[in-house]
Amino acid sequence: MDVRVRGDLSEVFDVQHFRENSETAVAILHKHLSDQSIRGLELVDPAVLTRAARALMTDESERIADFDEGRLAGILELYVRTGIAVHSPGSMGRQFSGVVPLGGVVDFVSSVVNQPSAFYEAGQLPNVAERIMAEELNRFIGWAPGSFDMVTTSGGSLANLTALLAARNRAFPDFWEQGGPGATAAGRPAVAVGEDVHYSVARAAGVLGIGEAQLVRLPLDRERRICPRRAERALAEAEERGLRVFCVVASAGSTPVGAFDPLDELADLAHRRGAWLHVDGAHGASLLVSDRLRPKLRGIEKADSLTWDAHKMMFVPAPCTLLFYRDRAHGAAAFRQHASYVFDEEPDPYTALDSGDRTLECTKRPMIMALWVLWSLYGRALFARKIERLCRTTALAHRILLEQPDFEVLHRPEANILCFRHHPAGPAGRAPADPREVHRLQVAIRDRIKHEGTFFLSKVDIDGVAALRMVLMNHQTTSEHVRLLLQAIRRAAQDVQADPGGPR
């Protein structure tokens, strides 16, 4: 074990020490990325992991501890080993992306130089890069150059909250200063959402003081997309109940099944009723960069705002969310505050790039840098080809499942999310027929698969009954991996039936 004395602050900040630490980390990550075995999630008992973590902590409390390279390596190895193996073809459970490795390098540089990017003076290149990427990506959205706005936020939930805040302030200009109105002449403030809307939108309604009771649920069609015809009736009924729907939220790649709502029709419907259309494209907006897949977002140019998570299908480190506004004035109206210690009284060419007045975050990471560097070096094709490959593999998985008599496919995948159920008895006598038993079986299968550690699957309730959910985020996942997963599911079901009270 390499033990060196580090007696003061100068030693802790020593650049040679930094180089050695970095080499230790790179060696561990190189080994991690080189492992292409099929791995899922290695769940460790929290008490066991806590003991392991504490064992790696120094006991020294009175002075700066002697540096221990072995201790550092142990910490980093434990960190890497206990996370989801997002780079493994067996990881099919969630929208967590294995990053393009160079993106991680750029994020490492961002961490060391530590340039908060909410203000130009603190992070000059990140603010310029943010403006450049807004212009690059708007080529696929289609808004008039110079008329729109984009700001980065730490995650899609925060972007959805901010967009709803801007929509609320447009509809109720006095809300920010005077507080939430009750029943106004136009009705109580309300937001209309699809049944499969992400939970962050309902959470935003509570945070903004609108209340979940004022969420108008719009019916879905058979493909779990908002049905415009039935939505129009639901909006009319909401108005009769004294609600003023000031924002309609559509999904471009819903979290449960990856459905794309009909944006073109919903934009027309929302605008006829004087409402704002916000598109939660956290997952699916990235399809815009593909010529082949872009039509799934037809009508996006009519939206008033768009949430786009680059850390999902653009494969950069999280978080990196882009919040777009069709009208740049609306972004500026989301927050209405003055603070002399950050906001300059006289705008100039430098402060014009500040985003601190348009986001909840005063200090935020320069999250755009990884995306901009990859785009600068590789161009659009890197992202388009990987996304297209994931969608092709998911379509192939759909065809494979349709051929299996003991599996029920619940929808045709629109992107890279596919939901299905396993019925061991097959179609002749699908047992257990009781929906509660079907639900329990799918959950038990998912738990067995997760604890086995070879594959990682998620689950989602569809029409109140659990389903297994496959999310393909790794371009190295093939049809053979899908077939191996189905075999693992069958074995898990047999184990559950043989030992219903077994480990979960």
Side-chain angles (χ1 to χ4, degrees):
M1 181 179 294
D2 181 16
V3 179
R4 304 174 187 178
V5 176
R6 302 292 180 182
D8 57 30
L9 289 174
S10 63
E11 295 293 339
V12 174
F13 286 89
D14 180 75
V15 294
Q16 181 60 31
H17 188 201
F18 162 73
R19 185 184 186 93
E20 294 166 359
N21 295 163
S22 300
E23 289 169 353
T24 297
V26 168
I28 291 170
L29 290 173
H30 180 269
K31 179 182 178 182
H32 172 67
L33 293 175
S34 299
D35 183 356
Q36 292 302 309
S37 62
I38 305 175
R39 290 168 293 148
L41 179 63
E42 182 185 342
L43 275 182
V44 181
D45 184 289
V48 173
L49 183 56
T50 299
R51 287 195 296 272
R54 286 194 175 279
L56 289 165
M57 298 172 66
T58 181
D59 294 328
E60 182 61 65
S61 60
E62 299 302 323
R63 63 183 183 89
I64 298 175
D66 296 340
F67 179 72
D68 186 336
E69 190 76 33
R71 192 189 302 275
L72 171 64
I75 289 171
L76 296 181
E77 287 170 352
L78 185 64
Y79 186 18
V80 169
R81 180 171 62 84
T82 55
I84 294 175
V86 291
H87 290 90
S88 168
S91 181
M92 308 181 192
R94 298 197 184 278
Q95 292 139 292
F96 303 146
S97 171
V99 303
V100 179
L102 178 57
V105 173
V106 176
D107 204 49
F108 167 67
V109 173
S110 293
S111 295
V112 175
V113 299
N114 197 23
Q115 297 180 10
S117 63
F119 298 94
Y120 180 80
E121 65 181 23
Q124 298 179 57
L125 184 56
N127 277 279
V128 168
E130 193 164 307
R131 181 70 61 89
I132 291 172
M133 286 310 301
E135 294 169 352
E136 288 287 311
L137 297 176
N138 181 59
R139 293 191 288 125
F140 312 112
I141 299 173
W143 291 323
S147 66
F148 70 96
D149 193 18
M150 187 273 277
V151 62
T152 56
T153 71
S154 296
S157 296
L158 186 56
N160 287 337
L161 172 65
T162 306
L164 286 178
L165 179 61
R168 187 204 67 182
N169 288 350
R170 185 189 72 160
F172 300 93
D174 296 330
F175 205 119
W176 181 272
E177 292 185 356
Q178 303 300 323
T184 67
R188 298 190 306 279
V191 176
V193 302
E195 290 286 351
D196 280 352
V197 71
H198 191 264
Y199 75 89
S200 66
V201 176
R203 177 177 288 178
V207 172
L208 296 177
I210 296 164
E212 287 196 45
Q214 272 63 252
L215 283 178
V216 178
R217 299 283 179 173
L218 303 178
L220 306 180
D221 61 18
R222 295 179 61 183
E223 299 300 321
R224 304 199 72 80
R225 299 171 297 201
I226 293 175
C227 174
R229 177 177 51 81
R230 297 170 63 196
E232 187 155 25
R233 289 202 303 269
L235 292 175
E237 292 170 358
E239 185 176 356
E240 293 172 0
R241 298 198 311 271
L243 298 178
R244 180 188 174 186
V245 174
F246 65 87
C247 184
V248 175
V249 179
S251 296
S254 66
T255 300
V257 301
F260 287 74
D261 291 328
L263 305 181
D264 205 7
E265 296 169 88
L266 291 175
D268 291 342
L269 172 60
H271 295 158
R272 279 199 308 271
R273 305 191 69 87
W276 175 298
L277 178 68
H278 173 62
V279 177
D280 181 1
H283 185 75
S286 296
L287 273 63
L288 286 168
V289 304
S290 163
D291 293 338
R292 185 171 68 83
L293 299 171
R294 191 176 308 121
K296 291 185 179 292
L297 289 99
R298 184 175 60 87
I300 188 63
E301 73 282 355
K302 296 181 181 180
D304 294 287
S305 55
L306 166 67
T307 291
W308 183 338
D309 276 358
H311 58 262
K312 289 190 170 74
M313 298 280 273
M314 302 289 274
F315 319 110
V316 298
C320 179
T321 296
L322 318 174
L323 173 58
F324 284 87
Y325 296 99
R326 180 162 56 93
D327 185 339
R328 65 183 309 117
H330 291 155
F335 302 95
R336 299 173 181 176
Q337 291 173 287
H338 300 283
S340 61
Y341 44 86
V342 286
F343 302 135
D344 286 309
E345 297 177 18
E346 298 296 332
D348 57 37
Y350 308 109
T351 60
L353 274 73
D354 290 351
S355 61
D357 60 340
R358 293 175 287 125
T359 177
L360 197 62
E361 299 163 280
C362 182
T363 303
K364 66 176 183 178
R365 287 180 57 81
M367 57 193 82
I368 197 67
M369 288 301 293
L371 178 61
W372 175 67
V373 170
L374 293 175
W375 193 275
S376 299
L377 293 177
Y378 298 114
R380 171 176 72 111
L382 165 66
F383 308 98
R385 290 183 182 177
K386 176 158 180 170
I387 294 167
E388 289 168 0
R389 182 178 297 185
L390 295 177
C391 292
R392 284 197 303 270
T393 305
T394 308
L396 180 57
H398 177 253
R399 291 197 294 272
I400 291 172
L401 278 161
L402 287 175
E403 296 169 356
Q404 313 303 314
D406 52 342
F407 283 89
E408 172 193 10
V409 184
L410 300 177
H411 64 107
R412 181 181 296 277
E414 293 199 64
N416 63 326
I417 298 176
L418 178 59
C419 298
F420 56 96
R421 296 189 182 108
H422 178 50
H423 300 277
R430 268 191 184 147
D434 184 341
R436 293 170 297 182
E437 291 302 313
V438 173
H439 179 96
R440 282 194 285 268
L441 177 61
Q442 309 313 306
V443 172
I445 289 172
R446 191 283 307 262
D447 289 345
R448 295 255 178 173
I449 292 289
K450 183 170 65 175
H451 284 273
E452 183 186 74
T454 303
F455 292 96
F456 177 46
L457 272 181
S458 54
K459 69 94 179 172
V460 63
D461 290 353
I462 297 181
D463 296 327
V465 180
L468 302 173
R469 178 171 170 270
M470 177 192 303
V471 186
L472 297 188
M473 297 291 284
N474 188 338
H475 63 279
Q476 297 178 93
T477 301
T478 67
S479 59
E480 181 59 26
H481 295 116
V482 172
R483 294 183 188 279
L484 289 173
L485 170 65
L486 300 189
Q487 293 176 14
I489 290 172
R490 290 184 176 111
R491 289 196 303 271
Q494 292 172 359
D495 291 343
V496 170
Q497 291 175 323
D499 182 16
R504 291 191 55 177

